[in-house]
Structures are given as structure tokens and as C-alpha cells.
Amino acid sequence: MENINREREKRFYDALAKVGRADEGAMKAAKERQDYLAKPPGSLGGLEDISVKIAGITGKPYGNDVRKQAIAIMSADNGVVEEGVASAPQSVTLMQTINFTRRITGVSSMAKYFGIDLLVTDVGVAMEIPEELYTDSMLTEDGKITRLIVNRRIADGTANLAKGPAMTREQALTALNVGLDAAEAFKKAGVQLMGIGEMGIGNTTTSTALICALTGKSPRELTGRGGGLNDEGLTKKIKVIEDAVNGFCMADPLEKLSCIGGFDICAMTGAFIGAAIHRIPVVVDGLISAAAACMAKEFAPTVTDFMFASHKSYEPGYSIAVERLGLTPVFTLGMRLGEGSGCPIMFKTIEAACASMDLMKTLEEASIEADYLEEIRRDNLF
């Protein structure tokens, strides 16, 4: 078993060494092109920033196709629900994991409408999933993303973090490597833009605990009601998070994940790291996705060069998380569903940014006399 542990650990830490940075030259060239497109400089606002960041990821100033899209959904249960910190029963994790494949949930209905692939992975759902819905491979024989549930179950949910560590370091490493596998599968399938979501009752507790552990912020400040906790449940949730954050010695990111994280968050963390390794632009969803992104940054600080924040989550810990990531959410719709539901909307925004960069002509190409813009550029009046 010790050899297996070392092999998994080596694989993960070897992967970290492959995380690069944004291509500054491509970003500079993209910014210069944006400033000379047939429009007042800066008039497309955040769309211009997105197109420049995409250039840094791909190394191409323009001509970036992002229409092949997929979302990785990591499903797992959390033993901490024993403490009464969740409003929904664990059976919801089971049913929604199945319903993703039926394309009838929040994120999967949007994915179906827009033709976006979903990769649904069981990393530790507590209840039994019917065997006929499982597959061992993330890709089909013809290289497409499977529509079944990928069986990477580590255990029937994590342990109760109110009574001890949620998982072992070995289990955390196993889940991190599942995320690396998902990103690698996306690369092989030709995915050009990916998002990361989750399903796991109790994971607003684990994600908030991790954000508190990373930032030193008070659980009383950052803890929200999740799926709809009443006041009594919220009080319990705050107390559980306070005790967990203060009760463990968490010297490194892996120990934080193993003590107070979840299998879903570990796998999501690995997927964010994998996206950076394969230079695939990746979208952060809500609170849980942002917590995983923060953990990815702990392991490899430059992973944020490859990330885009979608919506501003209603959960109070979210703003602290994206601030730590140095990202700005693009839209505010009062969303708090999770699942990766912000990703399809953000995908379309990123498509719009790339379309304007690629299809709009420069002033010269459009035969527009643009001397009047020189003062605007010179004095940075935009």
C-alpha cells in the first residue's frame, strides 16, 4: 500500500510542476489589436479583457475557437451532515447525480440546450448508484465524453469532520488525481473551454470551512444557509465550522483538504490544476467551485491565469474566495444553485468576447479614418 501511496503522491506533485503561466506576448498583441478594432478603445469593457486573457491561455492573440465546451461535475457526500448542517437529505446527492445524465437538472438542462458536454463522476456518493448507469472510462471508444456516470467512488462519503478528519491524505490524493484525469479526458476529447461543478449535500459546510482556514475569516461572517437552513441549523453549521477550523493542525493544502474538505472539492481542485496544465480556459461556478479554485491556487499559484469567474454567488463566503483568486465575477443574477450552473452562461459570454475579437475588423481594415481616436489613446481617456 505504501508504494501505491507514493505513486499517487508523485503523480500529483509531478503534475503541479507542469502548471505554466499566461503568455504575456500573446496578451500584449491581443490588447493592441483590441485597441485598433473598429470601435472606441475599451468600449466593449470586460469582453475585451476576456479576449485578452484567452489569448494568454492559448498563445494566440486572436482566432481562438472556444465552441467545444464541457463541464466536469464531481459528486460526493459529506459525513458532516450528521450534525444537522444541511436542509436536504443525502438522497438528493444520489438522485441529482443520476438526473445529470438525464439532463433535467439546472446545469444539465442548460447544457442540453446549448449542446455542452457533461462529465459526471461519482467520487463518493453515499448511496448506491445502479450498476447499469456506471462506466469506468471518461471517454467512449470513439473519443467522446461519456454520458454515463464515471465510477471513481473512493468511499461512501467522507467521515464526519466534526468528529475527526474528513478523509485520509491518501484519499485526498486519490480524489485530486481524479480531477487531473477529468481535465486530461477533456483535452483528449478536444474541449476548448471547460467548467467545474459539483453535487454533494453538506458541501457548503466543507467549502466555507476551507475558505475560513485559508483566509482566517470568521465562520460567523462567511457561513450562509446553503440550500435553505433555518436559524437553528445555521447556528449548528457555524459552530461545526468554527470547531473544525480551530481543532485541526492543517500545515499544508493537502492536510486542509483531508481534514475539512470533501471528495468533490478535492476532485474539483485537481480539475482546476489539470485545466492549467493543458491550457484549457476554465470557468469557476459558485461557492464550492470557488473554494476548490482557491485550493488549486494553494498548490499552484499561477492556475488563476487560466480561470474565469462566472456569477457572483449569493453565498457570503464567495466574495472572499474570488477576491483571494484575484478574479471578478462577470454577472450577478442572485444565483446559488451550484452544480456548475453559472458555467453555460459564462461560456456564451466568452464566446461573445472571442467573436468580437475575431470577426470585428480593425479601423484600417474597415476603411475608417481614425485620427480622432489618437488623443483618446494618448491620454488614456477610455
Side-chain angles (χ1 to χ4, degrees), residues 287-323:
L287 176 73
I288 296 93
S289 190
C294 284
M295 293 309 303
K297 183 181 179 183
E298 290 297 298
F299 286 109
T302 61
V303 293
T304 54
D305 286 1
F306 304 87
M307 294 178 183
F308 295 87
S310 55
H311 67 100
K312 184 180 185 301
S313 172
Y314 190 81
E315 279 286 314
Y318 173 84
S319 295
I320 297 298
V322 290
E323 180 181 331

Side-chain angles (χ1 to χ4, degrees), residues 171-187:
Q171 288 175 323
L173 278 168
T174 300
L176 285 162
N177 284 327
V178 170
L180 294 179
D181 289 342
E184 184 176 354
F186 281 178
K187 181 67 174 179

Side-chain angles (χ1 to χ4, degrees), residues 58 63 66 91 117 124 167 176 190 229 241 246 251 253 294 310 341 361 381:
T58 67
V66 293
S91 58
D117 286 322
M167 68 191 89
L176 285 162
L229 273 180
I241 294 173
N246 297 326
C294 284
S310 55
S341 55
K361 298 297 185 182
L381 300 177

Side-chain angles (χ1 to χ4, degrees), residues 15-305:
L16 291 182
K18 298 176 184 176
V19 175
R21 294 219 58 128
D23 185 325
E24 294 291 339
M27 292 176 72
K28 181 180 179 182
K31 179 66 170 65
E32 289 173 353
R33 179 175 174 81
Q34 276 288 1
D35 289 346
Y36 281 88
L37 290 177
K39 59 179 174 58
S43 58
L44 281 178
L47 291 179
E48 297 186 16
D49 297 333
I50 290 169
S51 69
V52 170
K53 188 166 185 175
I54 289 287
I57 295 170
T58 67
K60 293 168 55 178
Y62 62 97
N64 289 300
D65 189 349
V66 293
R67 289 173 293 180
K68 176 66 174 173
Q69 301 159 1
I71 302 170
I73 300 178
M74 303 299 179
S75 293
D77 277 300
N78 300 277
V80 71
V81 297
E82 296 174 1
E83 304 300 315
V85 297
S87 58
Q90 282 193 323
S91 58
V92 174
T93 304
L94 170 69
M95 289 313 304
Q96 288 295 78
T97 298
I98 294 171
N99 286 336
F100 290 138
T101 68
R102 300 171 63 198
R103 301 298 192 264
I104 60 172
T105 73
V107 65
S108 63
S109 60
M110 286 188 276
K112 180 178 180 179
Y113 183 87
F114 289 120
I116 297 167
D117 286 322
L118 292 183
L119 179 64
V120 183
T121 304
D122 172 10
V123 200
V125 177
M127 297 181 180
E128 185 176 351
I129 291 174
E131 193 63 34
E132 63 270 18
L133 298 181
Y134 270 141
T135 180
D136 291 329
S137 178
M138 293 181 172
L139 299 179
T140 61
E141 289 184 1
D142 58 354
K144 295 180 180 179
I145 295 167
T146 183
R147 291 181 64 91
L148 295 172
I149 298 167
V150 180
N151 187 357
R152 292 289 187 277
R153 181 191 294 252
I154 296 168
D156 295 343
T158 57
N160 183 354
L161 61 82
K163 297 177 179 178
M167 68 191 89
T168 66
R169 288 172 70 95
E170 164 68 6
Q171 288 175 323
L173 278 168
T174 300
L176 285 162
N177 284 327
V178 170
L180 294 179
D181 289 342
E184 184 176 354
F186 281 178
K187 181 67 174 179
K188 289 179 179 177
V191 170
Q192 299 159 318
L193 179 59
M194 61 183 277
I196 299 176
E198 42 60 46
M199 183 64 232
I201 299 303
N203 61 13
T204 60
T205 298
T206 52
S207 54
T208 302
L210 286 167
I211 294 168
C212 289
L214 290 173
T215 64
K217 296 288 185 180
S218 167
R220 294 186 181 275
E221 178 184 353
L222 299 191
T223 306
R225 296 182 184 273
L229 273 180
N230 58 25
D231 289 345
E232 180 183 358
L234 180 61
T235 300
K236 288 180 182 178
K237 185 176 179 180
I238 292 170
K239 179 68 163 56
V240 165
I241 294 173
E242 284 178 337
D243 290 348
V245 171
N246 297 326
F248 293 110
C249 177
M250 297 178 285
D252 61 35
L254 185 59
E255 200 160 12
K256 287 182 175 67
L257 284 171
S258 61
C259 287
I260 58 175
F263 295 143
D264 50 354
I265 295 176
C266 290
M268 295 164 77
T269 299
F272 278 117
I273 293 167
I277 291 169
H278 296 294
R279 304 191 75 86
I280 304 173
V282 61
V283 173
V284 180
D285 181 36
L287 176 73
I288 296 93
S289 190
C294 284
M295 293 309 303
K297 183 181 179 183
E298 290 297 298
F299 286 109
T302 61
V303 293
T304 54
D305 286 1

